[in-house]
Amino acid sequence: MQAYCAGSAQAFDVLYQRHRGPLYRYVCRQCHRSSVDEIYQDIWLKIIKARSAYQATAKFTTYLYTIARRRLIDHYRSQHRHETAVYDESEDEDAVSVAGPVQIEPEYSAASTQTLDHLLEEIERLPPAQREAFLLQEEAGMSLTEIAVTLDVGVETVKSRIRYAIDKLRKRLVDYA
Amino acid sequence: MSNEDQQPEATVHDVQVSALYQRTRKSEPPASLDAAILAAAHREVAARPQSANASAIFARWRVPLALAATVVLGFSVVTLISQYQEPTDKIHIAMVEMAPNENSVLKQQQEIAPPRAVESDRPMQESVAQFSDAQTAPAAPSIRELPKKSARLKEAKTNTDARVALVQPLESEITDRLSKPEPTTPPIQESRRDFAPSGAVEKKAQSEEVVADLARDKAEQAEAVEPHAPVKNQTTSNSQDAARVMPEENTRAEKAANPSAAMAGVGAADRHFERQRQAPSLAKEASKIKPIGLWLKEIAKLRVDGRIQEAAQQLQQFKQAYPDVPEEKISTSLAAYEREFREGDKVHTLPENDNGKK
């Protein structure tokens, strides 16, 4: 990103190829299909316009997904959907009740397309706070600390959200099987 | 919840769920979207190739520049403050330097006397010493303390009450001695010639009378001034001065009573003769700043006591010292004081502190 700020257009090409897939999927998992392209393009245009004011205070991944998260929140507000990234405690309490030691069947390794679709549906049904934490870990490959910085919460909170998300997914996959 | 917190961080990342999710990662942005974004990025670089450098430089040097500006401003303010403080310091230093110079004038006045004293003949000094010990003993300590008291007066210039408290004891002592019809301080040269060694017994008796008169006058002054509230400090200082002076007076009176002891100290006679010579000029200076009200009250007291000649003499001195005071005011004030004294009531308040106004 610093090379692109210095005037290298090729540096942006490399940067874009590295983050295009994960960012696109991160947006896809959290909003309606019809809005994904628009939101995705807006995120990158914001980064391009912010080139002159960019300061390398953190990893570019953190910077990129912070912008993406804010754009999604704006999208939620514009669509009057109140499923913003606000952490919902009641969802966690429900998750505690369902969470527990779950044995995943061996046949999951050879899951069918239906199972994968079911997994994506379950991810979409996750509470927004747990979903975005899970996606940041799986798609962006962030550590717990980086996720905490991006979401502006504590590390333990992030850990808890991811744990709840995984437990729910495992439980629902077992139920589906 | 606590059980879950105790779980290791590895359990947060579930391998099987993660592996299953990896298989869903097939979604990619369309090629047209990629092309539009890349084109926008290239256009931005083409439009403003150097803008990032300028902002990056500004961002890099923002904190050091702010610190440098703070240091420069702080130094400037400190320098300005120190420059403003210098004139006041100079004034203070000048005032401090002036103070000793004024004291040195008084010291010079004291130092002028010795050569004249040395000029006088020995036998005469011995004879006069005996008398001067008795006569001028009360005035001597006051003259000795004049430099200190004058310094205190300068400090108390801004405070009128303090000035009155400091000046009145001193001036009253000196003017009392000047106003005596008996051997007064100005004609000391004459008194030296008049009182020859042959009349030692006569001089002794006169000196005892002088000491007694002084003590009586002091007590009267203390009584007259006591009720006035602002002058309360004056009475205390007056009594303190009297306490300081009286032992010396007593010892000097004893000396006068014992001629042999008095004659033995020729050096002491010289010192007292010097003090006698200094007394008139200083007393005159002090009499000029004597409060009008107090002076008129003393004159009225003399009149009531039947000492008409002394009162007339005092009144004449008063008029010389205060030529601007109208006759009507003097007569009115004297009549009021006399009436009060005759009625036997103490004067609780002075009619007007003219000295403070002047």
Side-chain angles (χ1 to χ4, degrees):
Chain A
M1 184 63 186
Q2 287 178 340
Y4 175 62
C5 292
S8 172
Q10 289 74 24
F12 183 81
D13 293 347
V14 174
L15 197 68
Y16 180 76
Q17 291 301 326
R18 188 183 299 164
H19 295 284
R20 58 187 284 273
L23 181 65
Y24 187 79
R25 285 188 292 273
Y26 174 78
V27 176
C28 279
R29 305 282 185 261
Q30 301 195 76
C31 66
H32 196 265
R33 300 275 177 184
S34 60
S35 306
V36 172
D37 290 354
E38 181 189 351
I39 294 170
Y40 177 77
Q41 188 174 8
D42 283 350
I43 292 167
W44 281 110
L45 289 177
K46 278 191 177 182
I47 289 171
I48 291 167
K49 288 179 182 176
R51 162 178 167 257
S52 58
Y54 177 77
Q55 294 180 29
T57 55
K59 282 181 69 176
F60 177 73
T61 309
T62 308
Y63 176 68
L64 175 66
Y65 282 91
T66 301
I67 290 174
R69 181 171 177 264
R70 288 174 184 170
R71 179 65 185 83
L72 283 169
I73 290 171
D74 292 341
H75 172 70
Y76 295 149
R77 286 173 180 165
S78 65
Q79 296 293 318
H80 301 288
R81 292 176 60 185
H82 298 289
E83 52 179 356
T84 54
V86 177
Y87 186 64
D88 191 353
E89 295 290 342
S90 62
E91 293 284 352
D92 284 343
E93 289 172 2
D94 295 340
V96 170
S97 63
V98 297
V102 177
Q103 292 291 329
I104 296 179
E105 298 298 329
E107 58 264 25
Y108 266 19
S109 57
S112 63
T113 307
Q114 289 181 342
T115 306
L116 295 178
D117 291 341
H118 181 70
L119 177 63
L120 293 177
E121 287 174 6
E122 291 302 324
I123 289 171
E124 196 173 343
R125 287 172 56 192
L126 284 172
Q130 295 176 15
R131 185 176 58 211
E132 70 178 352
F134 175 80
L135 290 173
L136 286 173
Q137 186 184 41
E138 294 296 332
E139 290 291 351
M142 287 183 176
S143 66
L144 295 176
T145 306
E146 290 169 351
I147 296 169
V149 171
T150 305
L151 300 179
D152 196 18
V153 293
V155 175
E156 291 299 320
T157 304
V158 172
K159 192 189 294 185
S160 174
R161 288 178 185 180
I162 293 172
R163 186 178 299 135
Y164 287 136
I166 290 172
D167 287 345
K168 279 182 184 177
L169 290 175
R170 290 172 66 181
K171 177 73 172 56
R172 287 168 187 172
L173 285 174
V174 169
D175 292 343
Y176 179 76
Chain B
M1 192 75 178
S2 61
N3 292 333
E4 290 170 0
D5 290 336
Q6 289 170 0
Q7 291 178 3
E9 188 176 342
T11 58
V12 174
H13 183 76
D14 189 278
V15 178
Q16 291 176 333
V17 173
S18 180
L20 198 62
Y21 181 77
Q22 295 297 323
R23 295 178 62 187
T24 66
R25 299 174 63 178
K26 295 175 183 175
S27 302
E28 294 286 336
S32 59
L33 198 58
D34 291 343
I37 291 167
L38 290 173
H42 285 267
R43 278 199 306 272
E44 179 69 17
V45 172
R48 292 185 297 174
Q50 297 298 324
S51 60
N53 290 337
S55 63
I57 290 168
F58 176 74
R60 186 179 298 169
W61 289 99
R62 188 170 55 186
V63 174
L65 281 173
L67 288 173
T70 305
V71 169
V72 170
L73 281 173
F75 181 75
S76 308
V77 169
V78 169
T79 308
L80 282 172
I81 289 171
S82 61
Q83 283 177 355
Y84 278 117
Q85 282 179 346
E86 275 179 8
T88 54
D89 292 343
K90 284 176 182 174
I91 290 168
H92 180 68
I93 291 164
M95 288 175 69
V96 170
E97 286 174 354
M98 280 174 65
N101 291 336
E102 290 177 0
N103 286 333
S104 65
V105 172
L106 292 170
K107 286 178 183 174
Q108 284 173 0
Q109 286 180 357
Q110 288 180 342
E111 288 169 359
I112 289 167
R116 293 179 188 172
V118 171
E119 287 170 11
S120 59
D121 48 350
R122 276 283 180 192
M124 189 65 78
Q125 281 180 1
E126 289 173 2
S127 63
V128 169
Q130 189 181 1
F131 175 70
S132 62
D133 271 350
Q135 187 186 8
T136 65
S142 299
I143 293 165
R144 206 181 300 154
E145 292 171 357
L146 271 176
K148 292 177 185 176
K149 290 188 178 181
S150 63
R152 275 188 283 160
L153 279 172
K154 284 162 198 159
E155 290 174 2
K157 269 178 185 175
T158 54
N159 189 348
T160 307
D161 292 336
R163 183 175 60 180
V164 170
L166 287 170
V167 168
Q168 282 186 351
L170 174 64
E171 67 191 13
S172 60
E173 274 183 26
I174 295 168
T175 50
D176 283 347
R177 283 169 188 79
L178 279 172
S179 63
K180 296 292 173 196
E182 288 84 22
T184 54
T185 46
I188 288 170
Q189 299 285 353
E190 294 172 8
S191 67
R192 284 177 61 198
R193 296 188 190 95
D194 292 343
F195 294 101
S198 57
V201 179
E202 229 180 302
K203 291 167 204 163
K204 250 198 312 183
Q206 287 178 355
S207 64
E208 284 172 2
E209 283 178 13
V210 168
V211 171
D213 285 341
L214 284 170
R216 189 173 60 249
D217 288 346
K218 254 182 205 172
E220 286 174 2
Q221 283 182 5
E223 268 185 18
V225 175
E226 195 175 359
H228 193 34
V231 193
K232 202 164 185 180
N233 291 332
Q234 171 208 346
T235 56
T236 49
S237 64
N238 197 2
S239 60
Q240 287 171 358
D241 289 343
R244 260 182 275 141
V245 171
M246 287 307 289
E248 288 193 31
E249 287 177 357
N250 293 336
T251 53
R252 288 166 201 282
E254 286 171 8
K255 267 189 183 178
N258 187 2
S260 60
M263 294 292 282
V266 178
D270 291 340
R271 286 197 298 274
H272 288 300
F273 182 65
E274 291 166 15
R275 289 180 207 132
Q276 285 283 354
R277 290 187 58 80
Q278 293 164 13
S281 61
L282 293 171
K284 279 178 184 174
E285 288 178 6
S287 67
K288 287 178 184 174
I289 56 171
K290 184 175 183 178
I292 293 172
L294 182 63
W295 204 341
L296 289 174
K297 196 160 58 176
E298 289 173 2
I299 295 167
K301 177 73 176 171
L302 290 171
R303 282 185 178 181
V304 171
D305 292 344
R307 298 156 74 179
I308 306 298
Q309 289 182 352
E310 293 177 30
Q313 193 178 357
Q314 286 279 332
L315 187 59
Q316 191 177 357
Q317 289 178 2
F318 175 83
K319 286 176 181 176
Q320 288 174 357
Y322 296 100
D324 298 334
V325 179
E327 285 285 344
E328 294 178 358
K329 188 177 178 181
I330 294 170
S331 58
T332 308
S333 301
L334 284 174
Y337 283 131
E338 285 176 18
R339 191 167 56 252
E340 287 177 1
F341 281 125
R342 285 195 181 108
E343 288 172 358
D345 294 332
K346 288 184 178 179
V347 180
H348 292 288
T349 56
L350 293 174
E352 193 177 13
N353 193 358
D354 293 333
N355 191 30
K357 285 182 180 178
K358 286 182 184 293

